[in-house]
Amino acid sequence: MSLGVDTLVLGGNANPFMLMQTCMNLAVACTGDEQAMTARDVLHWATQGAADIMGWGDKTGSITVGKRADLVMISTRNIGMIPVIDPVASVVQSATPADVTNIIANGRLVKRGGVMLGFDMHELAREARQGVHYLLER
């Protein structure tokens, strides 16, 4: 099993936290059982499960010696994350992209203190708008 986003056409949002929350909510809605699925299962499907499905499970997907250093650090200080009783459940059920403070991808720091590094976000936004206008004009 895995969870992931491969297109924005239908969902319009590549928010992995929302995807995990939706998965948990659907399990409860379909079964009527709040224990039908665990947050640990959902987090596994979004990390190691997704890496396995893509054929990258031996390189990424878990914090394991010999694998790439891919880490997402989540602040537990924001109001939506308080109190943290079960860290896994808090990530799956409460975290949002706004809670992500630091990201390390393949051992390289790409987000620090909530700010993406090495990206001009204004230029990226301008290019995205330009691309949309180009597509709409066709």
Side-chain angles (χ1 to χ4, degrees), residues 12-13 19 22 30 38 42 70 87 94 96 104 106-107 118 121 128 132-133:
N13 192 329
L19 184 64
T22 300
C30 290
T38 69
V42 174
D70 293 337
S94 302
T96 70
I104 299 172
N106 200 21
M121 295 304 288
V132 167
H133 289 297

Side-chain angles (χ1 to χ4, degrees), residues 11-30:
N13 192 329
N15 179 343
F17 300 106
M18 186 170 48
L19 184 64
M20 289 188 287
Q21 292 159 10
T22 300
C23 182
M24 289 287 295
N25 291 339
L26 283 172
V28 173
C30 290

Side-chain angles (χ1 to χ4, degrees), residues 80-123:
M81 293 292 290
I82 297 171
V84 174
I85 297 166
D86 175 347
V88 174
S90 291
V91 167
V92 170
Q93 296 172 323
S94 302
T96 70
D99 297 313
V100 176
T101 57
N102 300 301
I103 299 174
I104 299 172
N106 200 21
R108 189 172 67 89
L109 190 62
V110 295
K111 185 175 187 179
R112 178 179 41 214
V115 177
M116 295 296 292
L117 305 175
F119 294 94
D120 181 341
M121 295 304 288
H122 295 291
E123 176 63 16

Side-chain angles (χ1 to χ4, degrees), residues 41-65:
D41 289 336
V42 174
L43 185 60
H44 175 82
W45 297 336
T47 55
Q48 188 62 55
D52 289 342
I53 292 293
M54 292 185 296
W56 299 344
D58 61 331
K59 297 178 195 79
T60 191
S62 65
I63 302 171
T64 304
V65 173

Side-chain angles (χ1 to χ4, degrees), residues 125-138:
R126 187 193 67 73
E127 288 177 10
R129 285 190 301 273
Q130 189 177 32
V132 167
H133 289 297
Y134 172 78
L135 292 172
L136 292 175
E137 292 172 359
R138 299 192 83 167

